[in-house]
Amino acid sequence: MSIDFYWRLPTHGCHGTIRHGVYDRGDWSPLAAGNIAPGLDRDGADDGFRYIDHLGEIARAAEASGFIGGLIPSFPNTDDPWVISPLLARETRSFRFMIAFQPGFLNPVQAARMSASLQRATGGRTVFNIITGGGGPAQLWWGDSFGHDDRYGRTTEFLDVFKGVWKERDFSYQGRFYQVEGGGLAPLLAAEDIPEIWFSGSSDAALQSAAKHADYYLSWLEPFDQLGDKFARVKERTAALGGEQKCAVRVDLVARPTEEEAWRDIRIGFGNVSDETRARWRGQPTDSVGASRQAALRPTEAKRYDELIVAPNLWGGFNLLRGGPALGIVGSYEQCAARLDELISRGTDAFILAGTPHLEEAYRVGEEVLPLLGRQAQALLAAE
């Protein structure tokens, strides 16, 4: 079975190292000595190297290192993925662009036309990461006050319409959130393939929507037994609807030549976390089941980095060192590959990987970790 690997593209700036929390790559931070994209030239002036140029470097590095595509995140503090994707498509040859977006903020008919146009322009390299939102203040930032289950109901209808106008010439739909009469794309646009859909969410409402529409069900990393149970539920629910569901994991890696080197970087990074960050990591109010599951993985008052070790090579404090999910993989190249192999054995069909800094770690993970995958399975088969 072929396993697809995507790399994360940091549309909100990037740290130069996992050891400190300073965003020194990208114009989200003030221009200063040592920063890049932009940086300072020899006269102390802006060197003109924009952040989109740096993202282009990351995309090219990931493509050269064996990643099939890149996730383009969408948060209040990022550039918009719909704008970034076509710009980066010109910088790469076959690299796919996974656009993260919340369906409720676009009309599904217009989204279908935009997507088909992007497919035509890039040779079919568009992929979607559908996000339905975590509620609370973050959701209100977008002007969205719908409740948890209503948001997933709206997402389901959005995808009903999105696919319907793409596949049918005279599509009509009467739903709670969307109504369409006689919809359909122009023939040249309708001839394009519908983008692959990756779907996030851990609640029952999310799983129901994913089972109907997703090509891949995407989860943050969780303890392996817990994650395996979740994937089994998703696949069972999809099978009941007559379909087949693939599952994927989004996970950060700190992969080094030795385990000691990997944990040293974590220890130093944890020691540099500010009191402000320690207070903020408890998070904002949310009705996201996935975020709540992540929060339950870590003690809230950890004083040492090793208090956040959840299982061998699994560390629950990544959100202290950079934004995003708490749990990630730490270890030697061989250990990181072994943990990914174990996830594959538990039902993972694809990955979105990341590392800090994103540029250098794309090369490191692609060249040092991915080639080791399957080695242990091959050794076991040879021994039988």
Side-chain angles (χ1 to χ4, degrees):
M1 178 182 66
S2 176
I3 304 295
D4 287 343
F5 287 89
Y6 287 77
W7 189 248
R8 185 179 186 275
L9 302 179
T11 47
H12 43 62
C14 187
H15 310 292
T17 172
I18 196 69
R19 295 184 175 192
H20 66 70
V22 177
Y23 281 93
D24 53 10
R25 298 187 177 189
D27 49 10
W28 300 102
S29 301
L31 185 64
N35 284 11
I36 64 172
L40 300 177
D41 62 21
R42 66 180 61 188
D43 298 320
D46 184 332
D47 65 5
F49 187 71
R50 304 268 68 85
Y51 192 57
I52 187 64
D53 301 318
H54 183 59
L55 285 176
E57 288 187 331
I58 297 173
R60 289 192 297 271
E63 183 176 45
S65 300
F67 292 94
I68 194 172
L71 168 66
I72 306 180
S74 178
F75 297 104
N77 63 323
T78 68
D79 284 312
D80 187 85
W82 290 93
V83 175
I84 294 296
S85 296
L87 296 173
L88 295 182
R90 301 300 294 269
E91 301 291 327
T92 53
R93 293 179 180 273
S94 61
F95 199 66
R96 301 177 186 176
F97 297 94
M98 185 182 294
I99 298 173
F101 74 100
Q102 295 195 40
F105 310 148
L106 286 172
N107 177 282
V109 178
Q110 174 64 4
R113 190 175 70 149
M114 290 167 56
S115 304
S117 299
L118 194 53
Q119 288 287 68
R120 272 169 51 80
T122 64
R125 291 194 271 157
T126 310
V127 182
F128 287 145
N129 174 23
I130 300 296
I131 304 168
T132 301
Q139 200 66 25
L140 291 173
W141 184 92
W142 299 95
D144 184 17
S145 59
F146 277 97
H148 178 277
D149 287 2
D150 282 340
R151 292 199 305 276
Y152 280 103
R154 180 178 61 188
T155 291
T156 300
E157 287 195 12
F158 177 98
L159 292 172
D160 287 343
V161 174
F162 179 88
K163 291 181 176 180
V165 296
W166 201 310
K167 293 178 179 178
E168 299 181 25
R169 288 287 297 161
D170 190 18
F171 176 77
S172 295
Y173 187 90
Q174 293 296 321
R176 178 185 172 195
F177 300 97
Y178 302 105
Q179 297 80 42
V180 178
E181 294 290 343
L185 297 181
L188 285 177
L189 295 177
E192 297 294 324
D193 290 334
I194 293 177
E196 196 173 75
I197 293 175
W198 292 45
F199 198 99
S200 303
S202 297
S203 66
D204 286 342
L207 297 182
Q208 182 176 352
S209 187
K212 183 175 184 182
H213 283 300
D215 297 296
Y216 283 90
Y217 173 77
L218 176 63
S219 175
W220 286 337
L221 182 65
E222 297 181 4
F224 289 6
D225 288 342
Q226 183 174 308
L227 188 64
D229 289 343
K230 182 199 287 188
F231 284 173
R233 282 195 296 132
V234 172
K235 293 186 177 186
E236 180 181 2
R237 184 162 298 187
T238 305
L241 293 174
E244 182 178 352
Q245 183 70 77
K246 294 180 179 180
C247 293
V249 175
R250 153 82 177 92
V251 56
D252 277 58
L253 304 178
V254 175
R256 300 292 182 264
T258 67
E259 183 178 15
E260 292 74 19
E261 290 175 81
W263 284 115
R264 182 172 66 240
D265 279 357
I266 291 294
R267 174 174 53 80
I268 294 172
F270 184 83
N272 286 331
V273 174
S274 67
D275 291 339
E276 179 186 0
T277 299
R278 293 179 194 277
R280 191 172 62 245
W281 76 325
R282 297 179 179 87
Q284 294 181 326
T286 178
D287 58 16
S288 167
V289 174
S292 298
R293 288 164 72 104
Q294 287 283 308
L297 298 175
R298 60 186 189 268
T300 57
E301 301 297 338
K303 302 298 183 183
R304 293 171 48 89
Y305 81 93
D306 52 6
E307 294 178 51
L308 297 173
I309 297 177
V310 174
N313 304 115
L314 299 187
W315 192 64
F318 273 86
N319 60 320
L320 283 172
L321 309 184
R322 52 92 186 105
L327 195 61
I329 297 174
V330 180
S332 67
Y333 299 146
E334 293 78 11
Q335 288 171 327
C336 289
R339 298 291 82 76
L340 294 177
D341 273 335
E342 186 176 351
L343 287 168
I344 292 169
S345 72
R346 292 172 180 261
T348 304
D349 303 295
F351 292 89
I352 300 172
L353 303 182
T356 301
H358 286 70
L359 176 59
E360 291 87 337
E361 292 302 309
Y363 286 119
R364 186 199 297 268
V365 174
E367 295 174 359
E368 303 290 354
V369 176
L370 297 191
L372 298 177
L373 291 171
R375 293 286 182 85
Q376 290 183 337
Q378 292 172 8
L380 289 173
L381 288 173
E384 291 180 353

